[in-house]
Short mmCIF file of all heavy atoms in Angstrom, two decimals:
data_model
loop_
_atom_site.label_atom_id
_atom_site.label_comp_id
_atom_site.label_asym_id
_atom_site.label_seq_id
_atom_site.Cartn_x
_atom_site.Cartn_y
_atom_site.Cartn_z
N LEU A 1 -2.65 6.89 13.82
CA LEU A 1 -3.40 6.35 14.94
C LEU A 1 -4.87 6.53 14.70
O LEU A 1 -5.34 7.63 14.37
CB LEU A 1 -2.99 7.05 16.24
CG LEU A 1 -3.77 6.72 17.51
CD1 LEU A 1 -3.59 5.25 17.88
CD2 LEU A 1 -3.34 7.64 18.64
N VAL A 2 -5.66 5.48 14.85
CA VAL A 2 -7.07 5.54 14.63
C VAL A 2 -7.80 4.65 15.66
O VAL A 2 -7.23 3.66 16.11
CB VAL A 2 -7.42 5.06 13.17
CG1 VAL A 2 -7.06 3.62 12.96
CG2 VAL A 2 -8.88 5.34 12.83
N GLN A 3 -8.99 5.06 16.01
CA GLN A 3 -9.77 4.26 16.95
C GLN A 3 -10.38 3.03 16.29
O GLN A 3 -10.60 3.04 15.06
CB GLN A 3 -10.87 5.12 17.56
CG GLN A 3 -10.39 6.22 18.47
CD GLN A 3 -11.54 6.96 19.10
OE1 GLN A 3 -12.66 6.99 18.63
NE2 GLN A 3 -11.26 7.63 20.24
N PRO A 4 -10.66 2.01 17.05
CA PRO A 4 -11.34 0.82 16.48
C PRO A 4 -12.66 1.27 15.77
O PRO A 4 -13.39 2.10 16.27
CB PRO A 4 -11.64 -0.02 17.69
CG PRO A 4 -10.56 0.33 18.66
CD PRO A 4 -10.32 1.80 18.45
N GLY A 5 -12.86 0.69 14.60
CA GLY A 5 -14.00 1.02 13.78
C GLY A 5 -13.76 2.13 12.81
O GLY A 5 -14.58 2.42 11.92
N GLY A 6 -12.60 2.79 12.93
CA GLY A 6 -12.26 3.90 12.05
C GLY A 6 -11.67 3.44 10.72
O GLY A 6 -11.60 2.23 10.43
N SER A 7 -11.27 4.43 9.94
CA SER A 7 -10.76 4.17 8.58
C SER A 7 -9.45 4.91 8.35
O SER A 7 -9.22 5.96 8.92
CB SER A 7 -11.78 4.63 7.53
OG SER A 7 -13.00 3.89 7.62
N LEU A 8 -8.64 4.36 7.47
CA LEU A 8 -7.44 4.98 7.01
C LEU A 8 -7.27 4.60 5.54
O LEU A 8 -7.69 3.51 5.12
CB LEU A 8 -6.19 4.55 7.75
CG LEU A 8 -5.91 5.14 9.14
CD1 LEU A 8 -4.69 4.45 9.76
CD2 LEU A 8 -5.68 6.63 9.07
N ARG A 9 -6.61 5.47 4.78
CA ARG A 9 -6.23 5.10 3.39
C ARG A 9 -4.73 5.26 3.25
O ARG A 9 -4.20 6.35 3.43
CB ARG A 9 -6.95 5.96 2.37
CG ARG A 9 -6.71 5.46 0.94
CD ARG A 9 -7.46 6.20 -0.11
NE ARG A 9 -6.82 7.44 -0.54
CZ ARG A 9 -6.95 8.01 -1.71
NH1 ARG A 9 -7.75 7.46 -2.61
NH2 ARG A 9 -6.35 9.18 -1.98
N LEU A 10 -4.08 4.18 2.94
CA LEU A 10 -2.65 4.16 2.68
C LEU A 10 -2.41 4.39 1.19
O LEU A 10 -3.15 3.92 0.35
CB LEU A 10 -2.02 2.84 3.11
CG LEU A 10 -2.25 2.37 4.54
CD1 LEU A 10 -1.47 1.11 4.79
CD2 LEU A 10 -1.86 3.47 5.52
N SER A 11 -1.35 5.10 0.91
CA SER A 11 -0.91 5.33 -0.48
C SER A 11 0.53 4.88 -0.63
O SER A 11 1.31 4.94 0.30
CB SER A 11 -1.03 6.81 -0.82
OG SER A 11 -2.33 7.29 -0.71
N CYS A 12 0.83 4.44 -1.84
CA CYS A 12 2.19 4.01 -2.18
C CYS A 12 2.51 4.59 -3.56
O CYS A 12 1.93 4.17 -4.54
CB CYS A 12 2.31 2.50 -2.18
SG CYS A 12 3.89 1.89 -2.77
N ALA A 13 3.41 5.57 -3.54
CA ALA A 13 3.81 6.22 -4.80
C ALA A 13 5.06 5.56 -5.36
O ALA A 13 6.03 5.31 -4.61
CB ALA A 13 4.04 7.69 -4.56
N ALA A 14 5.03 5.24 -6.63
CA ALA A 14 6.12 4.52 -7.26
C ALA A 14 6.83 5.39 -8.31
O ALA A 14 6.18 6.21 -8.99
CB ALA A 14 5.60 3.25 -7.94
N SER A 15 8.11 5.20 -8.42
CA SER A 15 8.88 5.84 -9.48
C SER A 15 8.97 4.88 -10.64
O SER A 15 8.64 3.71 -10.56
CB SER A 15 10.28 6.20 -8.98
OG SER A 15 10.97 5.02 -8.66
N GLY A 16 9.47 5.35 -11.79
CA GLY A 16 9.69 4.46 -12.93
C GLY A 16 8.50 4.46 -13.88
O GLY A 16 7.37 4.78 -13.51
N SER A 17 8.80 4.05 -15.11
CA SER A 17 7.81 4.14 -16.17
C SER A 17 7.04 2.85 -16.43
O SER A 17 6.12 2.86 -17.24
CB SER A 17 8.51 4.55 -17.48
OG SER A 17 9.50 3.58 -17.82
N SER A 18 7.38 1.79 -15.70
CA SER A 18 6.74 0.50 -15.98
C SER A 18 5.77 0.12 -14.87
O SER A 18 5.41 -1.07 -14.78
CB SER A 18 7.81 -0.59 -16.12
OG SER A 18 8.71 -0.28 -17.17
N PHE A 19 5.28 1.08 -14.13
CA PHE A 19 4.44 0.80 -12.97
C PHE A 19 3.25 -0.09 -13.37
O PHE A 19 2.87 -1.01 -12.63
CB PHE A 19 3.96 2.07 -12.34
CG PHE A 19 2.93 1.90 -11.25
CD1 PHE A 19 3.34 1.54 -9.97
CD2 PHE A 19 1.57 2.08 -11.50
CE1 PHE A 19 2.44 1.37 -8.95
CE2 PHE A 19 0.65 1.86 -10.48
CZ PHE A 19 1.07 1.53 -9.21
N ARG A 20 2.65 0.19 -14.51
CA ARG A 20 1.41 -0.49 -14.84
C ARG A 20 1.57 -1.99 -15.05
O ARG A 20 0.62 -2.75 -15.04
CB ARG A 20 0.80 0.11 -16.11
CG ARG A 20 1.64 -0.09 -17.38
CD ARG A 20 1.04 0.75 -18.52
NE ARG A 20 1.72 0.56 -19.78
CZ ARG A 20 2.84 1.20 -20.10
NH1 ARG A 20 3.41 2.07 -19.26
NH2 ARG A 20 3.41 0.99 -21.26
N PHE A 21 2.82 -2.45 -15.24
CA PHE A 21 3.07 -3.87 -15.43
C PHE A 21 3.28 -4.65 -14.14
O PHE A 21 3.23 -5.85 -14.10
CB PHE A 21 4.29 -4.08 -16.34
CG PHE A 21 4.15 -3.48 -17.71
CD1 PHE A 21 4.95 -2.45 -18.13
CD2 PHE A 21 3.17 -3.97 -18.56
CE1 PHE A 21 4.81 -1.88 -19.39
CE2 PHE A 21 3.02 -3.41 -19.85
CZ PHE A 21 3.85 -2.37 -20.26
N TYR A 22 3.50 -3.91 -13.04
CA TYR A 22 3.86 -4.56 -11.80
C TYR A 22 2.62 -5.13 -11.10
O TYR A 22 1.54 -4.56 -11.15
CB TYR A 22 4.55 -3.58 -10.85
CG TYR A 22 5.96 -3.30 -11.19
CD1 TYR A 22 6.30 -2.32 -12.13
CD2 TYR A 22 6.99 -3.95 -10.57
CE1 TYR A 22 7.61 -2.06 -12.46
CE2 TYR A 22 8.31 -3.72 -10.86
CZ TYR A 22 8.62 -2.75 -11.81
OH TYR A 22 9.92 -2.50 -12.12
N VAL A 23 2.84 -6.28 -10.42
CA VAL A 23 1.88 -6.73 -9.45
C VAL A 23 2.21 -6.00 -8.14
O VAL A 23 3.32 -6.07 -7.67
CB VAL A 23 1.97 -8.24 -9.19
CG1 VAL A 23 1.03 -8.66 -8.08
CG2 VAL A 23 1.66 -9.00 -10.51
N MET A 24 1.23 -5.27 -7.64
CA MET A 24 1.43 -4.47 -6.42
C MET A 24 0.77 -5.14 -5.23
O MET A 24 -0.30 -5.75 -5.35
CB MET A 24 0.85 -3.07 -6.62
CG MET A 24 1.47 -2.29 -7.77
SD MET A 24 3.24 -2.06 -7.60
CE MET A 24 3.33 -1.09 -6.10
N GLY A 25 1.43 -5.04 -4.09
CA GLY A 25 0.89 -5.67 -2.90
C GLY A 25 1.09 -4.82 -1.66
O GLY A 25 1.98 -3.99 -1.62
N TRP A 26 0.26 -5.06 -0.69
CA TRP A 26 0.42 -4.51 0.67
C TRP A 26 0.67 -5.69 1.61
O TRP A 26 -0.06 -6.66 1.61
CB TRP A 26 -0.79 -3.73 1.11
CG TRP A 26 -0.93 -2.40 0.45
CD1 TRP A 26 -1.72 -2.08 -0.63
CD2 TRP A 26 -0.29 -1.19 0.83
NE1 TRP A 26 -1.59 -0.74 -0.94
CE2 TRP A 26 -0.71 -0.17 -0.05
CE3 TRP A 26 0.60 -0.85 1.84
CZ2 TRP A 26 -0.26 1.15 0.05
CZ3 TRP A 26 1.05 0.45 1.93
CH2 TRP A 26 0.64 1.43 1.05
N TYR A 27 1.74 -5.53 2.41
CA TYR A 27 2.05 -6.49 3.47
C TYR A 27 2.02 -5.74 4.81
O TYR A 27 2.03 -4.53 4.85
CB TYR A 27 3.49 -7.02 3.27
CG TYR A 27 3.64 -7.98 2.08
CD1 TYR A 27 3.57 -7.52 0.76
CD2 TYR A 27 3.91 -9.31 2.30
CE1 TYR A 27 3.73 -8.38 -0.31
CE2 TYR A 27 4.10 -10.19 1.22
CZ TYR A 27 4.00 -9.70 -0.06
OH TYR A 27 4.20 -10.57 -1.13
N ARG A 28 1.97 -6.51 5.88
CA ARG A 28 2.08 -5.88 7.20
C ARG A 28 2.87 -6.79 8.15
O ARG A 28 2.92 -7.98 7.98
CB ARG A 28 0.68 -5.61 7.77
CG ARG A 28 -0.15 -6.84 8.10
CD ARG A 28 -1.53 -6.45 8.50
NE ARG A 28 -2.40 -7.58 8.83
CZ ARG A 28 -3.70 -7.53 9.08
NH1 ARG A 28 -4.30 -6.33 9.05
NH2 ARG A 28 -4.35 -8.58 9.39
N GLN A 29 3.46 -6.14 9.12
CA GLN A 29 4.22 -6.87 10.11
C GLN A 29 3.92 -6.28 11.49
O GLN A 29 4.23 -5.11 11.75
CB GLN A 29 5.72 -6.81 9.83
CG GLN A 29 6.53 -7.70 10.74
CD GLN A 29 7.95 -7.88 10.23
OE1 GLN A 29 8.46 -7.12 9.42
NE2 GLN A 29 8.62 -8.90 10.74
N ALA A 30 3.30 -7.10 12.33
CA ALA A 30 3.02 -6.69 13.70
C ALA A 30 4.20 -7.06 14.58
O ALA A 30 5.01 -7.93 14.23
CB ALA A 30 1.75 -7.39 14.18
N PRO A 31 4.35 -6.38 15.73
CA PRO A 31 5.47 -6.70 16.62
C PRO A 31 5.52 -8.18 16.99
O PRO A 31 4.50 -8.78 17.40
CB PRO A 31 5.17 -5.84 17.85
CG PRO A 31 4.37 -4.70 17.29
CD PRO A 31 3.54 -5.28 16.23
#
């Protein structure tokens, strides 16, 4: 939870040895 104007940093940790080859993306879904 953050106030308007604030900041957050999301992280996504991956398993596996081929991470560097993947195209990575962030998606979102609002209600």
Side-chain angles (χ1 to χ4, degrees):
L1 173 64
V2 64
Q3 291 184 338
S7 298
L8 283 175
R9 189 175 82 154
L10 305 184
S11 299
C12 172
S15 64
S17 59
S18 301
F19 173 80
R20 65 189 183 277
F21 298 116
Y22 284 84
V23 175
M24 301 300 298
W26 285 97
Y27 289 70
R28 66 186 180 188
Q29 188 166 18

